[in-house]
Amino acid sequence: MSRKQYRAIFFDLDHTLWDFDTNSAEALRELHHTYGLHQRGVAVDAFLKTFKRINTQLWQLYDTGQIPQETIREQRFHRVLLEHNIDEYEMSLQFSQDYVSQSPQKKNLIPHAHSVLQYLHPKYPLHIITNGFSEIQAIKMTSSGIVHFFSSVVTSEKAGHKKPSKEIFEFALRENGLNASEVVMIGDNLVTDIGGAHAALLDTVYFNPDRIAHQQKVTYEITSLAELKSIL
Ligand SMILES: [Mg+2]
């Protein structure tokens, strides 16, 4: 297969470049300690597990348009703490606020993210396409030292549409004077990143580190970001 020459690359941020799970766990462990949850009978590993499950559920509801973003912030820790028999809504809101301010300051990247960006940066304009909160995504990119690699960051807030809507991809194309056929979208989510980009007629790279079985049409599939160096 002959390699296509792209004019620009679109990247997802969370779980594709910024190591959401590791960073989130670091922040949660610190807050678990700060809030004295151990003393209240909540084991840290169980707490992390509950958070991961509930957070994933809420993000899925958000990604499919069933709840607004605020609901994630307002409800996730109340739900998590409830499962550990702590029913304190005000405390859960404070916890949520602390989590939202501390987690994005963590610096862990997905393996090979930095070296791959270093490799791609001189060759292509790079853009972030993300459903996250604008100000939060900016902090993550700055703390992890990758912000300078990117020509633009398109958030759902800015575009007025969120992935998997093809409109957010079309917005990013328009903003940067690009045609769909000139761009490849790289992401870890089959629905939002790959399905959405495919609907907008972009080529796709599915980052699938857990080797999840699927039927989705993808242009390329990788299990490590290092493989991008042989594709692009
Ligand atoms: Mg992602």
Side-chain angles (χ1 to χ4, degrees):
M1 184 169 166
S2 69
R3 297 295 181 210
K4 188 163 158 186
Q5 189 55 51
Y6 297 107
R7 274 189 60 213
I9 298 174
F10 289 179
F11 268 104
D12 169 53
L13 183 61
D14 288 336
H15 304 280
T16 297
L17 295 170
W18 195 76
D19 190 342
F20 188 98
D21 290 339
T22 303
N23 291 321
S24 165
E26 250 182 51
L28 288 172
R29 281 178 190 280
E30 289 169 12
L31 288 169
H32 178 274
H33 178 77
T34 309
Y35 278 78
L37 293 182
H38 179 72
Q39 289 81 344
R40 302 186 64 177
V42 185
V44 69
D45 289 330
F47 178 70
L48 260 60
K49 246 176 126 169
T50 310
F51 173 80
K52 195 170 178 183
R53 175 166 44 79
I54 287 175
N55 194 49
T56 305
Q57 283 168 3
L58 288 172
W59 272 98
Q60 270 165 7
L61 290 174
Y62 169 71
D63 282 338
T64 49
Q66 298 177 68
I67 57 167
Q69 274 183 337
E70 304 82 71
T71 306
I72 299 177
R73 285 190 184 184
E74 288 163 7
Q75 289 195 13
R76 62 183 164 189
F77 285 105
H78 189 228
R79 291 194 193 186
V80 171
L81 290 165
L82 268 182
E83 292 213 11
H84 295 279
N85 302 313
I86 297 175
D87 184 2
E88 292 176 32
Y89 187 64
E90 291 306 318
M91 188 266 263
S92 79
L93 283 183
Q94 186 59 52
F95 198 107
S96 178
Q97 234 176 64
D98 289 348
Y99 172 75
V100 167
S101 72
Q102 291 175 27
S103 178
Q105 295 175 33
K106 302 296 176 192
K107 307 170 185 323
N108 299 286
L109 292 170
I110 297 290
H112 309 289
H114 196 271
S115 74
V116 159
L117 291 174
Q118 233 161 6
Y119 165 84
L120 294 174
H121 176 60
K123 301 180 69 172
Y124 308 90
L126 308 176
H127 305 274
I128 292 284
I129 316 290
T130 177
N131 279 353
F133 306 104
S134 291
E135 78 277 19
I136 301 295
Q137 302 308 68
I139 297 168
K140 289 174 184 171
M141 292 175 68
T142 306
S143 354
S144 61
I146 60 169
V147 71
H148 64 285
F149 289 121
F150 292 91
S151 309
S152 78
V153 180
V154 173
T155 62
S156 39
E157 265 171 86
K158 228 188 271 178
H161 299 273
K162 59 181 194 275
K163 297 182 287 186
S165 272
K166 64 179 182 163
E167 283 87 352
I168 186 171
F169 298 96
E170 289 167 353
F171 176 91
L173 293 171
R174 221 171 28 247
E175 288 278 290
N176 296 290
L178 295 159
N179 295 315
S181 62
E182 301 172 324
V183 179
V184 61
M185 171 71 199
I186 302 167
D188 70 293
N189 190 299
L190 272 179
V191 176
T192 55
D193 299 319
I194 305 306
H198 186 67
L201 307 177
L202 273 64
D203 277 3
T204 54
V205 179
Y206 176 38
F207 174 47
N208 186 10
D210 298 329
R211 299 170 195 269
I212 294 161
H214 66 91
Q215 304 292 325
Q216 180 83 39
K217 211 171 169 262
V218 302
T219 316
Y220 302 99
E221 182 160 337
I222 57 175
T223 55
S224 158
L225 291 179
E227 293 167 59
L228 288 174
K229 293 183 185 175
S230 55
I231 297 173
L232 298 163

